[in-house]
Amino acid sequence: MVSTEEEGLVRPMQAVFPLGCTTALNPGVEVDSTGSVASLCTPWEADLYGCSEPCNWPASVPDSMTYPEWNQGTSNGEADWRSLGQIYPDK
Amino acid sequence: MAARVFERWAAAACMFLLGAVAFAEAAAANAAAVDGKTLMASRCVGCHTLDNDGHWSRIGDQRKTPEGWHMTLTRMQHNHGLVLNDAEKDAIIKYLADTQGLAPGEAAPYRYVLERRNNTIEQYNAINRPDSNGIATRCTTCHSYARIALQRRSEEEWRLLLHFHVGQFPMIEFHPAARISAWWEENEPHLPGVLVGLFPLSTPAWSEWRKRPSPDLSGEWRVIGNDPGVGFYSGTRTIKRVGPDAYETTTSWEFADGHNETREGTAVVYTGYEWRGRTNVRREDIREIYAVSDAGDQITGRWFLARHSELGGEFTAVRVRSGGARLIAANPYGIQVGTTRRITLVGTNLSGVPQFGPDLHASIVSRTADRIVVDVIAAPSAETGLRTIALEPAESRATLAVYKAVDQVRVAPEYAFCRLGEGGGKIPIVGAQFEAIAYASMPGASGKDAASVPVAVLPAKWALEPHTAAAKERDDQLYAGRITSSGLFVPAQGGINPLRTKGTPNNTGDLTVKATADFDGKTLEGTSHVIVSTGMLFFNVPIP
């Protein structure tokens, strides 16, 4: 919380990204701002599409511009996540 | 599914249900059969131009690893309609890696990413000049630093790469780590100059290296390595040349506990030193990412499971030359003063009596030309330190750590990032193999400064505990995964867990991995840290 002297009011500070989002999306470092998991988006399956596109995780979750075929027919992340495949599967 | 791969891999290693598995792979033959340069003239020319000097637009101003060119061609196939079959793709990667690759010294600092050592904590600010921090806050928000550092481009190509990112990923400027600044205005004028300064297209190292002929690696090789969770192994590899830079391999390994593994495989050598092999171990497809030494007499790197790159081992092969004697390794590699230890010496053309230095006395138990087993007695008065074992006339690189007492156990890796997966879905879990390693203090190389030196890999009892108070509150240790008796951490299944009611419905976790080992009359504990993240491995890219 921050105060504005002019107005004598206390108002919430405007966050630059949604609270609860991960702040580090480096490969292999999908952890929250404390380096732990408490603030990861969960249930992750429900947040998949809502977070990956607006927050732009194109190196972690295939984006719809580059990989439009990736999630075709799986519009409900929570229900359909099991159908999602891997980019660069090594058989 | 992958959890079963995990189980089978661990079980097979423990139960020794192993044997020779024939493996046929067309890549080696394909690499020789199709000419990449000719193919490029017909396949790349639709979008790129080739001038009279043989310089390709865009392509000609970049240098990359074989994996880098593989990713480029895959993108051309996926995004731009390039049509190639696997043999054609292999051939173009081969041609480009050979003619526009990285010199060994350019790739060396970043081999960890090629070898899929994905728990490496990158120290990019320490190994590059201060203004590389621009990359730390830009590129490495999404990529490993090694992904950038394994490319060489002209300044214009670095600039175009930046433009490509904004075009292909237009939300990039609104990324949480980007929207706090004027991303484009700050980066476009500045970053290409930084990048070309760090990673220029033309270097003396590459100019020299590309003149060198590719080595002929055919022949007999002596092999040593470590398979974490199983242990030290040694053996032989026969390499047969089947085409230009194409090989077939037959490898036989024997572990310290006496069990054997034999496998056959294939390999292609890119850029004169980048060994990329395929084989089969315990019924799993294996990838080999090795580097050939400048002299062409040593091959070093890491092998791993194709489906689970986090599972794999260290590998070193030394060429067997007639008359050339080499002592490569000792296992175990430490001895406490006042004790006796049976030690195996591994090498080629070994003769003579091994010398361990003052106050260490060895009696030979058995010997062949490539292996000597000795019982070593270390007198209580023996001076501590790291000793090179002499075995005239062999050139020796084998060392033995003589120590008074083990003072700590460290668990490797010290931090492991694991991922949920499966749960009925298609994405594999990502786990981790831990090892407990005993360390002892002894004089450093200078003889003055004390150093903590590894002296043994220990069998240990493994346990999981919550790493933080919040993890304890959530009972992460009950949900996030389990650890086997050999130190293999197996993450839990993806998906919502209806049984989990505190904190999160997913099987995430923040755990301490604890190893308890009895060694040299002491009980010692060591710990590591494992994160189990919801971030599934949707991208299994060769260079993350």
Side-chain angles (χ1 to χ4, degrees):
Chain A
M1 305 288 277
V2 293
S3 64
T4 53
E5 289 182 10
E6 296 84 357
E7 299 172 5
L9 300 172
V10 176
R11 61 174 174 77
M13 183 169 62
Q14 189 173 11
V16 294
F17 51 87
L19 290 173
C21 267
T22 59
T23 54
L25 292 160
N26 304 349
V29 197
E30 280 102 339
V31 291
D32 65 23
S33 56
T34 69
S36 188
V37 297
S39 297
L40 291 175
C41 302
T42 58
W44 176 85
E45 295 77 6
D47 287 341
L48 173 60
Y49 298 141
C51 291
S52 66
E53 294 280 345
C55 282
N56 196 49
W57 303 348
S60 300
V61 180
D63 66 288
S64 58
M65 184 167 160
T66 311
Y67 297 98
E69 74 287 358
W70 178 68
N71 59 357
Q72 277 183 357
T74 58
S75 56
N76 182 336
E78 189 166 1
D80 301 330
W81 67 271
R82 290 180 177 84
S83 300
L84 298 171
Q86 198 173 47
I87 308 296
Y88 284 94
D90 201 345
K91 299 166 189 169
Chain B
M1 293 301 294
R4 291 208 297 276
V5 174
F6 254 66
E7 299 305 315
R8 192 172 66 195
W9 178 253
C14 295
M15 295 166 64
F16 315 149
L17 296 174
L18 311 165
V21 182
F23 183 77
E25 176 60 44
N30 289 340
V34 190
D35 176 36
K37 184 178 182 181
T38 305
L39 275 170
M40 284 184 65
S42 62
R43 304 303 171 86
C44 304
V45 75
C47 299
H48 299 267
T49 57
L50 178 64
D51 69 19
N52 291 334
D53 297 328
H55 179 270
W56 282 99
S57 63
R58 304 295 311 271
I59 306 166
D61 295 320
Q62 304 176 34
R63 294 192 285 122
K64 296 176 186 176
T65 60
E67 284 76 8
W69 286 117
H70 171 67
M71 292 168 70
T72 298
L73 284 175
T74 301
R75 184 165 57 82
M76 293 299 141
Q77 289 176 294
H78 182 271
N79 292 13
H80 301 295
L82 173 64
V83 177
L84 292 172
N85 63 34
D86 288 348
E88 292 169 337
K89 189 173 179 180
D90 287 344
I92 293 177
I93 294 169
K94 179 79 172 75
Y95 174 71
L96 288 170
D98 286 352
T99 56
Q100 296 171 220
L102 268 60
E106 292 176 323
Y110 312 104
R111 299 203 67 78
Y112 59 87
V113 79
L114 301 174
E115 295 172 348
R116 306 285 189 103
R117 299 176 196 269
N118 287 347
N119 287 319
T120 301
I121 299 170
E122 295 188 303
Q123 303 293 332
Y124 38 84
N125 284 336
I127 59 178
N128 280 295
R129 63 194 208 198
D131 57 7
S132 68
N133 197 43
I135 305 170
T137 56
R138 279 28 171 208
C139 313
T140 60
T141 299
C142 292
H143 303 296
S144 67
Y145 183 76
R147 177 154 160 168
I148 292 89
L150 286 172
Q151 298 181 52
R152 298 293 183 276
R153 296 168 180 259
S154 65
E155 183 169 355
E156 178 62 7
E157 270 305 317
W158 283 118
R159 177 167 282 106
L160 290 173
L161 184 66
L162 196 62
H163 284 235
F164 155 78
H165 276 75
V166 175
Q168 188 68 40
F169 310 106
M171 289 290 286
I172 198 168
E173 292 181 83
F174 302 98
H175 186 282
R179 66 180 77 154
I180 55 176
S181 65
W183 193 92
W184 180 251
E185 289 79 0
E186 286 182 10
N187 291 311
E188 203 276 341
H190 158 70
L191 207 48
V194 173
L195 287 162
V196 78
L198 290 167
F199 310 118
L201 179 65
S202 300
T203 62
W206 173 246
S207 299
E208 285 302 308
W209 180 258
R210 70 167 301 183
K211 292 177 194 166
R212 295 174 54 138
S214 203
D216 180 356
L217 302 175
S218 57
E220 298 298 317
W221 297 71
R222 193 81 174 99
V223 168
I224 59 162
N226 181 50
D227 184 355
V230 182
F232 176 83
Y233 62 80
S234 63
T236 58
R237 165 165 282 193
T238 302
I239 300 178
K240 179 184 173 189
R241 193 165 182 263
V242 295
D245 294 327
Y247 298 95
E248 291 177 353
T249 62
T250 303
T251 310
S252 179
W253 293 355
E254 181 178 333
F255 284 80
D257 59 21
H259 86 274
N260 290 285
E261 296 180 8
T262 302
R263 75 281 305 271
E264 296 181 355
T266 60
V268 175
V269 173
Y270 300 84
T271 330
Y273 71 98
E274 290 282 11
W275 173 286
R276 299 294 182 266
R278 294 179 171 215
T279 185
N280 190 300
V281 178
R282 302 166 207 161
R283 291 175 286 166
E284 277 296 319
D285 286 346
I286 299 292
R287 302 287 183 263
E288 300 176 336
I289 307 288
Y290 303 154
V292 181
S293 65
D294 289 4
D297 61 353
Q298 181 168 315
I299 303 172
T300 310
R302 180 173 181 262
W303 54 268
F304 52 82
L305 275 66
R307 287 192 287 177
H308 282 282
S309 60
E310 69 272 29
L311 302 180
E314 307 294 332
F315 178 95
T316 297
V318 174
R319 188 191 284 277
V320 179
R321 295 187 192 279
S322 67
R326 291 171 107 176
L327 180 57
I328 305 167
N331 182 67
Y333 48 84
I335 186 169
Q336 186 183 28
V337 297
T339 67
T340 301
R341 186 149 289 168
R342 180 158 292 183
I343 293 172
T344 301
L345 305 177
V346 179
T348 66
N349 298 316
L350 301 178
S351 61
V353 178
Q355 303 293 326
F356 291 85
D359 298 324
L360 262 65
H361 308 285
S363 56
I364 294 175
V365 177
S366 66
R367 71 181 305 153
T368 63
D370 54 19
R371 180 195 299 255
I372 302 176
V373 179
V374 291
D375 281 339
V376 179
I377 302 169
S381 58
E383 190 175 340
T384 61
L386 204 56
R387 303 184 181 192
T388 299
I389 303 165
L391 186 61
E392 296 292 343
E395 167 203 341
S396 176
R397 68 176 69 176
T399 59
L400 185 68
V402 181
Y403 62 92
K404 280 204 170 76
V406 167
D407 49 26
Q408 60 174 315
V409 165
R410 298 185 197 171
V411 176
E414 61 185 284
Y415 173 88
F417 186 82
C418 297
R419 299 169 187 268
L420 298 171
E422 302 187 352
K426 299 177 179 178
I427 309 301
I429 54 175
V430 176
Q433 175 68 58
F434 291 95
E435 279 188 308
I437 303 168
Y439 279 73
S441 290
M442 58 186 63
S446 65
K448 293 179 180 175
D449 303 325
S452 195
V453 174
V455 296
V457 178
L458 305 180
K461 291 179 182 171
W462 296 94
L464 299 173
E465 296 177 352
H467 191 70
T468 63
K472 187 176 182 181
E473 183 69 22
R474 296 189 304 264
D475 287 331
D476 283 3
Q477 75 281 6
L478 301 180
Y479 295 102
R482 61 192 178 80
I483 193 161
T484 71
S485 59
S486 62
L488 178 68
F489 178 76
V490 185
Q493 299 285 289
I496 293 169
N497 183 348
L499 299 177
R500 191 167 201 188
T501 55
K502 286 190 282 187
T504 171
N506 291 125
N507 288 322
T508 52
D510 188 350
L511 298 169
T512 297
V513 174
K514 182 188 281 186
T516 307
D518 294 323
F519 189 65
D520 286 347
K522 282 185 179 176
T523 298
L524 298 152
E525 283 187 358
T527 60
S528 178
H529 182 195
V530 60
I531 290 288
V532 182
S533 172
T534 50
M536 286 191 176
L537 193 66
F538 287 125
F539 282 99
N540 187 27
V541 289
I543 304 177

